[in-house]
Coordinates of all heavy atoms in Angstrom, one line a residue:
M1 N 82.6 0.5 71.3 CA 83.4 0.3 72.4 C 83.1 -1.2 73.1 O 81.9 -1.6 73.1 CB 83.2 1.3 73.5 CG 84.1 1.1 74.7 SD 83.8 2.5 75.8 CE 85.3 2.7 76.5
L2 N 84.1 -2.0 73.5 CA 83.9 -3.2 74.0 C 83.5 -3.1 75.4 O 84.0 -2.4 76.3 CB 85.3 -3.9 74.0 CG 85.4 -5.4 74.6 CD1 84.4 -6.3 73.6 CD2 86.7 -5.9 74.5
D3 N 82.4 -3.9 75.7 CA 81.8 -4.0 77.0 C 82.6 -5.1 77.8 O 82.4 -6.2 77.4 CB 80.3 -4.3 77.0 CG 79.8 -4.5 78.4 OD1 80.3 -4.9 79.3 OD2 78.5 -4.2 78.5
K4 N 83.3 -4.7 78.7 CA 84.2 -5.7 79.5 C 83.5 -6.9 80.1 O 83.8 -8.0 79.8 CB 85.0 -5.0 80.5 CG 86.0 -5.8 81.3 CD 86.6 -5.0 82.5 CE 87.3 -6.1 83.5 NZ 87.9 -5.3 84.6
N5 N 82.5 -6.6 80.7 CA 81.6 -7.7 81.3 C 81.0 -8.6 80.3 O 81.0 -9.8 80.5 CB 80.6 -7.1 82.3 CG 81.2 -6.4 83.5 OD1 82.3 -6.8 84.0 ND2 80.5 -5.4 83.9
A6 N 80.5 -8.1 79.2 CA 79.9 -8.9 78.3 C 81.0 -9.8 77.6 O 80.7 -10.9 77.2 CB 79.2 -8.0 77.2
F7 N 82.2 -9.2 77.4 CA 83.2 -10.0 76.7 C 83.7 -11.1 77.7 O 83.8 -12.2 77.3 CB 84.5 -9.0 76.6 CG 85.7 -9.8 76.0 CD1 85.9 -10.2 74.8 CD2 86.8 -10.2 77.0 CE1 87.0 -10.9 74.3 CE2 87.8 -10.9 76.5 CZ 87.9 -11.3 75.1
I8 N 83.8 -10.8 78.9 CA 84.2 -11.9 80.0 C 83.2 -12.9 79.9 O 83.4 -14.2 80.0 CB 84.5 -11.2 81.3 CG1 85.8 -10.5 81.3 CG2 84.5 -12.4 82.4 CD1 86.0 -9.6 82.6
H9 N 81.9 -12.5 80.0 CA 80.8 -13.5 80.0 C 80.8 -14.4 78.8 O 80.8 -15.6 78.8 CB 79.4 -12.7 80.0 CG 78.3 -13.8 80.0 ND1 77.8 -14.6 81.0 CD2 77.4 -13.9 79.0 CE1 76.8 -15.3 80.7 NE2 76.5 -14.9 79.5
E10 N 81.1 -13.8 77.5 CA 81.1 -14.6 76.3 C 82.3 -15.5 76.3 O 82.2 -16.7 75.9 CB 81.1 -13.5 75.1 CG 80.9 -14.2 73.8 CD 79.5 -14.9 73.6 OE1 78.5 -14.4 74.3 OE2 79.4 -15.7 72.7
I11 N 83.5 -15.0 76.6 CA 84.8 -15.9 76.5 C 84.7 -17.1 77.5 O 85.3 -18.0 77.2 CB 86.0 -14.9 76.7 CG1 87.2 -15.6 76.1 CG2 86.2 -14.6 78.1 CD1 87.3 -15.5 74.6
E12 N 84.0 -16.9 78.4 CA 84.0 -17.9 79.5 C 82.7 -18.9 79.2 O 82.5 -19.9 80.1 CB 83.9 -17.3 81.0 CG 85.1 -16.7 81.4 CD 85.1 -16.1 82.8 OE1 83.9 -15.9 83.3 OE2 86.3 -15.9 83.3
S13 N 81.9 -18.6 78.3 CA 80.8 -19.5 77.9 C 81.0 -20.8 77.5 O 82.1 -21.1 76.9 CB 79.9 -18.7 77.0 OG 80.5 -18.9 75.7
E14 N 80.0 -21.8 77.7 CA 80.2 -23.1 77.3 C 80.4 -23.1 75.6 O 81.0 -24.0 75.1 CB 79.0 -23.9 77.6 CG 79.1 -25.4 77.4 CD 80.4 -26.1 77.8 OE1 80.7 -25.8 79.0 OE2 81.0 -26.9 77.2
K15 N 79.6 -22.3 75.0 CA 79.7 -22.2 73.6 C 81.0 -22.0 72.9 O 81.6 -22.7 72.2 CB 78.7 -21.1 73.1 CG 78.8 -20.9 71.5 CD 77.8 -19.8 71.2 CE 78.1 -19.3 69.7 NZ 77.5 -18.1 69.4
I16 N 81.7 -21.0 73.6 CA 83.0 -20.7 73.2 C 84.0 -21.8 73.6 O 85.0 -22.2 72.7 CB 83.6 -19.3 73.8 CG1 82.6 -18.2 73.2 CG2 85.0 -19.0 73.6 CD1 82.7 -18.0 71.8
N17 N 83.7 -22.4 74.7 CA 84.7 -23.5 75.1 C 84.5 -24.6 74.2 O 85.5 -25.3 73.8 CB 84.4 -23.9 76.7 CG 85.4 -24.9 77.1 OD1 86.6 -24.6 77.2 ND2 84.9 -26.1 77.4
S18 N 83.3 -24.9 73.8 CA 83.0 -26.0 72.9 C 83.7 -25.7 71.5 O 84.4 -26.7 71.0 CB 81.5 -26.3 72.7 OG 81.4 -27.1 71.7
L19 N 83.5 -24.5 71.0 CA 84.3 -24.2 69.7 C 85.9 -24.3 69.8 O 86.4 -24.8 69.0 CB 83.8 -22.8 69.4 CG 82.4 -22.6 68.8 CD1 82.1 -21.1 68.8 CD2 82.2 -23.3 67.7
L20 N 86.4 -23.8 70.9 CA 87.8 -24.0 71.2 C 88.2 -25.4 71.2 O 89.3 -25.9 70.6 CB 88.2 -23.2 72.5 CG 89.6 -23.5 72.9 CD1 90.6 -22.9 71.9 CD2 89.9 -22.9 74.2
M21 N 87.6 -26.3 71.9 CA 87.9 -27.7 72.0 C 87.8 -28.4 70.6 O 88.6 -29.3 70.2 CB 87.0 -28.4 73.0 CG 87.3 -28.0 74.4 SD 88.9 -27.9 74.9 CE 89.4 -29.6 74.8
D22 N 86.7 -28.0 69.8 CA 86.6 -28.5 68.4 C 87.9 -28.1 67.6 O 88.4 -29.0 66.9 CB 85.4 -28.0 67.7 CG 84.1 -28.6 68.3 OD1 84.2 -29.5 69.0 OD2 83.2 -28.0 68.0
E23 N 88.4 -27.0 67.7 CA 89.5 -26.5 67.1 C 90.8 -27.2 67.5 O 91.6 -27.6 66.6 CB 89.7 -25.0 67.2 CG 88.7 -24.1 66.5 CD 88.9 -24.2 65.0 OE1 90.0 -24.2 64.5 OE2 87.9 -24.0 64.3
I24 N 90.8 -27.4 68.8 CA 92.1 -28.2 69.3 C 92.0 -29.5 68.8 O 93.1 -30.1 68.4 CB 92.1 -28.1 70.9 CG1 92.4 -26.6 71.3 CG2 93.0 -29.0 71.5 CD1 92.2 -26.4 72.8
N25 N 90.9 -30.3 68.9 CA 90.9 -31.6 68.5 C 91.1 -31.7 67.0 O 91.8 -32.6 66.5 CB 89.5 -32.2 68.8 CG 89.2 -32.4 70.4 OD1 90.3 -32.7 70.9 ND2 88.1 -32.3 70.8
Q26 N 90.7 -30.8 66.1 CA 91.0 -30.8 64.8 C 92.6 -30.6 64.5 O 93.1 -31.4 63.6 CB 90.2 -29.7 64.0 CG 90.5 -29.8 62.5 CD 89.8 -28.7 61.7 OE1 89.2 -27.8 62.2 NE2 89.9 -28.8 60.4
A27 N 93.1 -29.7 65.2 CA 94.5 -29.5 65.0 C 95.4 -30.8 65.4 O 96.2 -31.1 64.8 CB 95.0 -28.3 65.8
R28 N 94.9 -31.4 66.5 CA 95.6 -32.6 67.0 C 95.5 -33.7 65.9 O 96.2 -34.6 66.0 CB 95.1 -33.0 68.4 CG 95.5 -32.1 69.4 CD 95.0 -32.6 70.8 NE 95.5 -31.8 71.9 CZ 95.0 -31.5 73.1 NH1 93.9 -32.4 73.4 NH2 95.4 -30.8 73.8
S29 N 94.5 -33.7 65.2 CA 94.3 -34.8 64.2 C 95.1 -34.6 62.9 O 95.2 -35.5 62.1 CB 92.8 -34.9 63.8 OG 92.3 -33.8 63.0
L30 N 95.7 -33.4 62.7 CA 96.5 -33.2 61.6 C 97.9 -33.6 61.6 O 98.3 -33.9 62.9 CB 96.4 -31.7 61.3 CG 95.1 -31.0 61.0 CD1 95.3 -29.4 61.0 CD2 94.5 -31.6 59.7
P31 N 98.5 -33.9 60.6 CA 99.9 -34.4 60.5 C 101.0 -33.4 60.9 O 101.8 -33.0 60.0 CB 100.1 -35.0 59.2 CG 99.2 -34.0 58.3 CD 98.1 -33.8 59.2
I32 N 100.9 -32.7 62.0 CA 101.8 -31.6 62.4 C 102.5 -31.9 63.7 O 102.1 -32.7 64.4 CB 101.1 -30.2 62.5 CG1 99.9 -30.3 63.5 CG2 100.5 -29.7 61.2 CD1 99.3 -28.9 63.8
Q33 N 103.6 -31.3 63.9 CA 104.5 -31.4 65.0 C 104.6 -30.2 65.8 O 105.1 -30.2 66.9 CB 105.9 -32.0 64.6 CG 105.8 -33.4 63.9 CD 105.3 -34.5 64.8 OE1 105.6 -34.6 66.0 NE2 104.4 -35.2 64.3
G34 N 104.2 -29.1 65.4 CA 104.4 -27.8 66.1 C 103.6 -26.7 65.5 O 102.9 -26.8 64.6
F35 N 104.0 -25.5 66.0 CA 103.4 -24.3 65.6 C 104.4 -23.3 65.2 O 105.4 -23.2 65.9 CB 102.5 -23.8 66.7 CG 101.8 -22.5 66.2 CD1 100.6 -22.6 65.5 CD2 102.3 -21.3 66.6 CE1 99.9 -21.4 65.1 CE2 101.6 -20.1 66.3 CZ 100.4 -20.2 65.6
P36 N 104.3 -22.6 64.2 CA 103.3 -22.7 63.3 C 103.6 -23.9 62.2 O 104.7 -24.4 62.0 CB 103.5 -21.3 62.3 CG 104.8 -21.1 62.5 CD 105.3 -21.6 63.9
S37 N 102.5 -24.5 61.6 CA 102.6 -25.5 60.5 C 101.8 -25.1 59.4 O 100.8 -24.4 59.5 CB 102.2 -26.7 61.3 OG 103.0 -27.2 62.3
L38 N 102.1 -25.8 58.3 CA 101.4 -25.5 57.0 C 101.0 -27.0 56.7 O 101.7 -27.9 56.6 CB 102.3 -24.9 56.0 CG 101.8 -24.7 54.5 CD1 100.5 -23.8 54.7 CD2 102.7 -24.2 53.6
V39 N 99.6 -27.0 56.6 CA 99.1 -28.3 56.2 C 98.1 -28.0 54.8 O 97.4 -27.2 54.8 CB 98.2 -28.9 57.3 CG1 97.5 -30.2 56.8 CG2 98.9 -29.1 58.6
L40 N 98.4 -28.9 53.9 CA 97.7 -28.9 52.7 C 96.6 -29.8 52.7 O 96.9 -31.1 52.9 CB 98.6 -29.0 51.5 CG 97.9 -29.0 50.1 CD1 97.4 -27.6 49.8 CD2 99.0 -29.4 49.0
E41 N 95.4 -29.5 52.4 CA 94.3 -30.6 52.2 C 94.0 -30.6 50.7 O 93.7 -29.6 50.1 CB 93.0 -30.1 53.0 CG 92.0 -31.1 53.0 CD 91.0 -30.9 51.8 OE1 90.7 -29.7 51.5 OE2 90.4 -32.0 51.4
N42 N 93.9 -31.9 50.3 CA 93.6 -32.1 48.9 C 92.8 -33.3 48.8 O 93.2 -34.4 49.0 CB 94.8 -32.2 47.9 CG 94.5 -32.3 46.5 OD1 93.5 -32.0 46.1 ND2 95.6 -32.8 45.8
E43 N 91.5 -33.1 48.4 CA 90.5 -34.2 48.2 C 90.3 -35.0 49.5 O 90.3 -36.2 49.6 CB 90.8 -35.0 47.0 CG 90.8 -34.3 45.7 CD 91.0 -35.2 44.5 OE1 91.1 -36.4 44.7 OE2 91.1 -34.6 43.4
G44 N 90.4 -34.4 50.6 CA 90.3 -35.1 51.9 C 91.5 -35.6 52.6 O 91.4 -36.1 53.6
L45 N 92.6 -35.6 51.9 CA 93.9 -35.9 52.4 C 94.7 -34.7 52.8 O 94.7 -33.7 52.2 CB 94.6 -36.7 51.3 CG 94.1 -38.1 50.7 CD1 94.7 -38.6 49.7 CD2 93.8 -39.1 51.9
Y46 N 95.4 -34.9 54.1 CA 96.1 -33.9 54.6 C 97.6 -34.2 54.6 O 98.0 -35.4 54.8 CB 95.7 -33.7 56.1 CG 94.3 -33.2 56.2 CD1 93.4 -34.2 56.4 CD2 94.0 -31.9 56.1 CE1 92.0 -33.7 56.5 CE2 92.7 -31.4 56.3 CZ 91.7 -32.4 56.4 OH 90.4 -31.9 56.6
A47 N 98.4 -33.2 54.2 CA 99.8 -33.5 54.1 C 100.5 -32.2 54.7 O 100.2 -31.0 54.4 CB 100.2 -33.6 52.7
A48 N 101.4 -32.6 55.6 CA 102.3 -31.4 56.2 C 103.3 -30.9 55.2 O 103.8 -31.7 54.5 CB 103.1 -31.9 57.5
V49 N 103.5 -29.6 55.1 CA 104.3 -29.1 54.0 C 105.5 -28.4 54.9 O 105.2 -27.4 55.7 CB 103.7 -28.1 53.3 CG1 104.6 -27.3 52.3 CG2 102.6 -28.7 52.4
P50 N 106.7 -28.9 54.6 CA 107.9 -28.2 55.4 C 108.0 -26.8 55.0 O 107.9 -26.6 53.8 CB 109.0 -29.0 55.0 CG 108.6 -30.3 54.4 CD 107.2 -30.0 54.0
V51 N 108.2 -25.8 55.9 CA 108.3 -24.5 55.5 C 109.9 -24.0 55.6 O 110.5 -24.2 56.7 CB 107.5 -23.5 56.4 CG1 107.7 -22.1 56.1 CG2 106.0 -23.9 56.3
N52 N 110.3 -23.5 54.5 CA 111.7 -23.0 54.5 C 111.7 -21.5 54.4 O 111.3 -20.9 53.4 CB 112.5 -23.6 53.3 CG 114.0 -23.2 53.3 OD1 114.3 -22.1 53.8 ND2 114.7 -24.0 52.7
Y53 N 111.9 -20.9 55.5 CA 111.7 -19.5 55.7 C 112.9 -18.7 54.9 O 112.7 -17.4 54.6 CB 111.8 -19.0 57.1 CG 110.5 -19.5 57.8 CD1 110.6 -20.5 58.8 CD2 109.3 -18.9 57.6 CE1 109.4 -21.1 59.3 CE2 108.1 -19.2 58.3 CZ 108.2 -20.4 59.1 OH 107.1 -20.9 59.8
Q54 N 113.9 -19.3 54.4 CA 115.0 -18.8 53.8 C 114.9 -18.9 52.3 O 115.4 -18.3 51.5 CB 116.3 -19.4 54.2 CG 116.7 -19.3 55.7 CD 116.7 -17.9 56.2 OE1 117.3 -17.1 55.5 NE2 116.1 -17.5 57.2
D55 N 113.9 -19.9 51.9 CA 113.8 -20.2 50.3 C 112.3 -20.5 50.1 O 111.9 -21.8 50.2 CB 114.7 -21.4 50.1 CG 114.6 -21.7 48.6 OD1 114.2 -20.9 47.7 OD2 115.0 -22.9 48.3
W56 N 111.6 -19.5 49.8 CA 110.0 -19.8 49.7 C 109.8 -20.7 48.4 O 108.8 -21.4 48.5 CB 109.4 -18.4 49.4 CG 109.7 -17.6 48.2 CD1 110.6 -16.7 48.0 CD2 109.0 -17.8 46.9 NE1 110.6 -16.3 46.7 CE2 109.6 -17.0 46.0 CE3 108.0 -18.7 46.5 CZ2 109.3 -16.9 44.6 CZ3 107.7 -18.6 45.1 CH2 108.3 -17.7 44.3
Q57 N 110.8 -20.7 47.5 CA 110.6 -21.5 46.3 C 110.4 -23.0 46.7 O 109.7 -23.7 46.2 CB 111.6 -21.3 45.2 CG 111.5 -20.0 44.6 CD 112.5 -18.9 45.2 OE1 112.9 -19.1 46.3 NE2 112.6 -17.8 44.6
S58 N 111.3 -23.5 47.7 CA 111.2 -24.9 48.0 C 109.9 -25.3 48.7 O 109.4 -26.3 48.6 CB 112.4 -25.1 48.9 OG 112.3 -24.6 50.2
T59 N 109.4 -24.3 49.5 CA 108.0 -24.5 50.1 C 107.0 -24.5 49.0 O 106.2 -25.3 49.1 CB 107.8 -23.4 51.1 OG1 108.8 -23.4 52.1 CG2 106.4 -23.6 51.7
Y60 N 107.1 -23.7 48.1 CA 106.1 -23.7 47.0 C 106.3 -25.0 46.1 O 105.2 -25.5 45.8 CB 106.4 -22.4 46.1 CG 105.5 -22.3 44.9 CD1 104.2 -22.0 45.2 CD2 106.0 -22.3 43.7 CE1 103.3 -21.9 44.1 CE2 105.1 -22.2 42.6 CZ 103.8 -21.9 42.8 OH 102.9 -21.8 41.8
Q61 N 107.4 -25.4 45.8 CA 107.6 -26.8 45.2 C 107.0 -27.9 46.0 O 106.4 -28.8 45.4 CB 109.1 -26.9 44.9 CG 109.6 -26.1 43.7 CD 108.8 -26.1 42.5 OE1 108.5 -27.3 42.0 NE2 108.5 -25.0 42.0
Q62 N 107.1 -27.9 47.3 CA 106.4 -28.9 48.2 C 104.9 -28.8 48.0 O 104.3 -29.9 48.0 CB 106.9 -28.7 49.7 CG 108.3 -29.2 49.9 CD 108.4 -30.6 50.1 OE1 107.6 -31.3 50.4 NE2 109.6 -30.9 49.6
I63 N 104.4 -27.6 47.9 CA 103.0 -27.5 47.8 C 102.6 -28.0 46.5 O 101.5 -28.8 46.3 CB 102.5 -26.0 47.9 CG1 102.7 -25.7 49.4 CG2 101.2 -25.8 47.5 CD1 102.6 -24.0 49.5
L64 N 103.2 -27.8 45.5 CA 102.8 -28.2 44.0 C 103.0 -29.8 44.0 O 102.2 -30.3 43.3 CB 103.8 -27.5 43.0 CG 103.6 -26.0 42.8 CD1 104.7 -25.5 41.8 CD2 102.2 -25.7 42.4
S65 N 103.9 -30.3 44.7 CA 104.0 -31.7 44.7 C 102.8 -32.5 45.3 O 102.7 -33.7 45.1 CB 105.3 -32.1 45.3 OG 105.2 -32.1 46.7
H66 N 102.0 -31.8 46.1 CA 100.9 -32.5 46.7 C 99.6 -32.2 46.0 O 98.6 -32.7 46.4 CB 100.7 -31.9 48.1 CG 101.9 -32.4 49.1 ND1 101.9 -33.7 49.4 CD2 103.0 -31.9 49.5 CE1 103.0 -33.9 50.3 NE2 103.6 -32.8 50.3
I67 N 99.6 -31.4 44.9 CA 98.4 -31.1 44.2 C 98.3 -31.7 43.0 O 99.3 -32.1 42.4 CB 98.0 -29.7 44.2 CG1 99.2 -28.9 43.5 CG2 97.7 -29.1 45.5 CD1 98.7 -27.4 43.3

Protein backbone atom coordinates (compact mmCIF):
# COMPACT_ATOMS: atom_id res chain seq x y z
CA MET A 1 0.00 0.00 0.00
CA LEU A 2 1.19 3.48 -0.82
CA ASP A 3 2.08 5.72 2.11
CA LYS A 4 0.54 9.07 1.18
CA ASN A 5 2.91 11.18 3.29
CA ALA A 6 6.00 9.36 2.05
CA PHE A 7 4.83 9.83 -1.53
CA ILE A 8 4.24 13.56 -1.06
CA HIS A 9 7.64 13.94 0.62
CA GLU A 10 9.39 12.10 -2.21
CA ILE A 11 7.56 13.81 -5.09
CA GLU A 12 8.39 17.23 -3.64
CA SER A 13 12.05 16.39 -3.01
CA GLU A 14 14.96 18.20 -4.65
CA LYS A 15 16.15 14.89 -6.09
CA ILE A 16 12.91 14.33 -7.99
CA ASN A 17 12.79 17.97 -9.11
CA SER A 18 16.35 17.70 -10.41
CA LEU A 19 15.51 14.51 -12.35
CA LEU A 20 12.42 16.18 -13.81
CA MET A 21 14.40 19.24 -14.91
CA ASP A 22 17.01 16.98 -16.55
CA GLU A 23 14.24 15.24 -18.52
CA ILE A 24 12.66 18.56 -19.54
CA ASN A 25 16.00 19.96 -20.69
CA GLN A 26 16.76 16.82 -22.68
CA ALA A 27 13.35 16.96 -24.37
CA ARG A 28 13.86 20.63 -25.23
CA SER A 29 17.17 19.79 -26.92
CA LEU A 30 15.53 17.32 -29.30
CA PRO A 31 14.25 18.23 -32.77
CA ILE A 32 10.57 18.06 -31.81
CA GLN A 33 7.67 20.47 -31.99
CA GLY A 34 5.08 18.84 -29.76
CA PHE A 35 3.82 15.82 -27.90
CA PRO A 36 3.70 13.01 -28.71
CA SER A 37 6.81 12.92 -30.88
CA LEU A 38 8.98 10.19 -32.26
CA VAL A 39 12.73 10.85 -32.31
CA LEU A 40 15.26 8.41 -33.67
CA GLU A 41 18.83 8.45 -32.35
CA ASN A 42 21.48 6.92 -34.57
CA GLU A 43 25.16 7.24 -33.67
CA GLY A 44 24.55 10.39 -31.62
CA LEU A 45 22.43 12.13 -34.25
CA TYR A 46 18.75 12.81 -33.60
CA ALA A 47 16.04 12.97 -36.23
CA ALA A 48 12.35 13.71 -35.80
CA VAL A 49 10.20 11.09 -37.48
CA PRO A 50 6.77 12.20 -38.70
CA VAL A 51 4.08 9.85 -37.42
CA ASN A 52 1.22 8.96 -39.73
CA TYR A 53 -1.48 7.37 -37.58
CA GLN A 54 -3.45 6.31 -40.66
CA ASP A 55 -0.54 4.60 -42.44
CA TRP A 56 2.03 2.93 -40.22
CA GLN A 57 4.06 1.85 -43.24
CA SER A 58 4.96 5.45 -44.08
CA THR A 59 6.21 6.02 -40.54
CA TYR A 60 8.17 2.77 -40.74
CA GLN A 61 9.75 3.86 -44.02
CA GLN A 62 10.76 7.16 -42.39
CA ILE A 63 12.48 5.23 -39.63
CA LEU A 64 14.29 3.00 -42.12
CA SER A 65 15.51 6.04 -44.05
CA HIS A 66 17.38 7.26 -40.96
CA ILE A 67 19.24 4.05 -40.16
